[in-house]
Amino acid sequence: MAHLLVVESWVGSMSRLLPRAVREGGHEFTFLTRDLHHYLRSAPEGVTHPLLGARNVITADTNDSDALLPRVERLHEVFGFDAVVTSCDYYLPTVALAADRLGLPGPDPEAVGNACRKDATRRVLAAAGVPGPRFAVHEEWADLARAAREIGYPLVVKPVDLCAGMYVRRVDDEEQLGAAVRALADFPVNARGQRRAPVVLLEELLDGPEVSVETVSHAGSVHVVGVTDKSVGGAPAFIETGHMFPAALLAAEAAVAEQTALDALKALGLTDGVVAHTEIKLSPAGPRVVEVNPRPAGNRITELVRHVTGIDLAAAFVDVSLGRAPDLRRTDTGLRSAAIGFLVPDAAGTLAALDGTAHRTAPGVLELELAEPGRQVRAAGSNNEYLGHVMAGDPDGAGARDRVEALLGELRTGLVIR
């Protein structure tokens, strides 16, 4: 039995999947957080939050790494941790530093830091010749306006240190650029109380479908588990509206996406102790790296992979964090594809009606989670405003997405926001 230190977590699916993987692996964990109430607010009524299944729950200022690392050392002397992990992007660099400080397995802290900063990722990949969009990084308005003209409209405005598509916007002219930059400046502190970098990333707008490559790195070798496709809506935002695994691609298209992801991971130095989710745009000019995430995929993509292949990426994440070889053997699950689709609100108000009772037992449905009436709703501007999701599988081929889209269409007919 191993003992893992879990430093913070997302409050979504990984807050359940990671504790499950630790427990099913025969291990235990200590949970370290600066604000336990952040997680208690997200627990369904009457249900104990999975993170409270920890052997110990300890509070500390996880946003102050200079103070936190000596605290972690003292805890390690008492508890004898075997690994340090997190599922939350905002704490991946801190966890890498902590594992390194304790002499435990884990990826290179500099590599993780570069992957978690979109501007640093761009510079590292560009220096290594890994294809990406034309880009510029600036803080001052005059520099941003000049760079935008040089790249050419339309383009994409991004924060360098936020997640879930927050404040990522398409802009078509200088007026829209100014509005996007001002909106980003008005959000100086992220949801975890960390002060944001004031610089802004501008990128060439890329055409073509977007996919993600799911990989597991251990002992210097990177294993490709598969390629997931992505649907995007909510313009001028970039909201993920659904995914399917495996992506419906020609073999040559999948191969070039996989190789591009491998090149990006090698350039960043993420070849050990990492489960990664690398987003690739299959543009007419060739594959282009969108971003590299040094943690398991969100939006329940890990569950799509498990339903089709039997591979548990959350369990693989635990294994490689412990320095152990992960079990990546495929099993016959009876499904050839699995897809998820999200209900994305396009209006603000109060959720008056949303009933999925008749759909829970529909053929192929694997999961159905919907918000309860009475919830306050905002028009979606990122991946944080979903009203629920439906997941379905297809035992015969790549029909899972069509099944999900049909179910979402039926659910939308009963969706009422007032």
Side-chain angles (χ1 to χ4, degrees):
M1 175 187 289
H3 187 181
L4 290 82
L5 176 63
V6 177
V7 180
E8 303 290 5
S9 169
W10 286 122
V11 295
S13 61
M14 283 306 293
S15 70
R16 300 187 294 275
L17 295 175
L18 182 56
R20 183 209 73 196
V22 172
R23 182 181 65 253
E24 291 182 355
H27 313 307
E28 60 184 1
F29 70 97
T30 287
F31 184 52
L32 185 64
T33 177
R34 66 188 292 268
D35 180 11
L36 185 58
H37 293 287
H38 183 84
Y39 302 94
L40 298 179
R41 288 194 299 268
S42 71
E45 186 176 353
V47 177
T48 302
H49 199 291
L51 289 166
L52 297 184
R55 173 178 163 183
N56 312 285
V57 177
I58 299 172
T59 57
D61 188 355
T62 52
N63 287 348
D64 183 351
S65 59
D66 289 339
L68 181 66
L69 293 179
R71 177 78 182 277
V72 168
E73 281 185 314
R74 292 193 294 273
L75 292 172
H76 182 52
E77 291 173 359
V78 175
F79 296 117
F81 300 121
D82 299 290
V84 189
V85 298
T86 186
S87 65
C88 181
D89 299 55
Y90 298 137
Y91 296 97
L92 289 166
T94 298
V95 161
L97 288 169
D100 184 65
R101 180 88 161 245
L102 300 181
L104 297 176
D108 175 65
E110 182 179 4
V112 173
N114 285 336
C116 290
R117 278 281 301 238
K118 295 179 176 66
D119 52 341
T121 299
R122 284 278 168 254
R123 293 185 179 108
V124 171
L125 297 188
V130 179
R134 290 178 292 128
F135 72 96
V137 184
H138 295 291
E139 180 177 352
E140 300 300 326
W141 168 250
D143 296 324
L144 287 166
R146 184 184 67 255
R149 291 190 295 270
E150 292 172 353
I151 294 173
Y153 293 99
L155 50 76
V156 181
V157 176
K158 291 183 178 182
V160 299
D161 50 6
L162 288 178
C163 309
M166 293 185 67
Y167 293 93
V168 179
R169 295 293 183 270
R170 169 183 169 144
V171 298
D172 294 300
D173 54 38
E174 193 164 296
E175 181 179 358
Q176 292 180 7
L177 173 63
V181 171
R182 287 192 296 273
L184 188 52
D186 288 339
F187 192 74
V189 178
N190 69 24
R192 298 307 181 97
Q194 298 169 334
R195 182 156 294 279
R196 294 190 46 258
V199 296
V200 177
L201 175 62
L202 304 180
E203 293 181 355
E204 168 192 11
L205 179 66
L206 298 171
D207 293 324
E210 186 171 329
V211 300
S212 61
V213 182
E214 322 308 334
T215 56
V216 180
S217 302
H218 173 67
S221 178
V222 183
H223 179 89
V224 175
V225 175
V227 182
T228 311
D229 74 10
K230 176 189 299 187
S231 54
V232 178
F238 295 83
I239 301 172
E240 296 179 0
T241 59
H243 304 276
M244 186 171 75
F245 183 90
L249 297 175
L250 297 174
E253 293 174 319
V256 76
E258 292 173 3
Q259 187 57 56
T260 303
L262 292 173
D263 291 343
L265 292 168
K266 181 179 179 181
L268 285 162
L270 294 170
T271 58
D272 190 28
V274 177
V275 175
H277 169 72
T278 304
E279 297 174 349
I280 307 289
K281 197 83 166 178
L282 299 176
S283 80
R288 299 290 185 268
V289 175
V290 177
E291 62 185 43
V292 180
N293 300 283
R295 42 80 179 160
N299 270 351
R300 299 192 72 75
I301 289 173
T302 57
E303 292 301 276
L304 300 182
V305 172
R306 184 177 62 85
H307 280 301
V308 174
T309 69
I311 296 172
D312 187 341
L313 289 174
F317 178 46
V318 170
D319 285 336
V320 299
S321 297
L322 288 166
R324 302 176 181 179
D327 184 359
L328 301 178
R329 293 172 295 178
R330 293 174 177 256
T331 58
D332 184 2
T333 66
L335 291 180
R336 297 284 301 280
S337 66
I340 188 169
F342 301 98
L343 275 174
V344 181
D346 57 7
T350 301
L351 179 61
L354 178 57
D355 185 7
T357 304
H359 301 84
R360 294 188 185 280
T361 57
V365 170
L366 301 169
E367 290 182 11
L368 179 61
E369 294 185 10
L370 300 174
E372 294 290 334
R375 170 174 162 176
Q376 294 302 302
V377 178
R378 296 185 300 173
S382 71
N383 299 339
N384 293 324
E385 285 90 27
Y386 298 137
L387 294 179
H389 71 260
V390 58
M391 183 188 295
D394 179 12
D396 301 316
R401 177 184 289 282
D402 291 341
R403 182 61 181 147
V404 163
E405 290 299 329
L407 290 166
L408 282 176
E410 294 171 9
L411 289 168
R412 289 189 189 102
T413 63
L415 171 62
V416 179
I417 299 175
R418 293 195 178 102

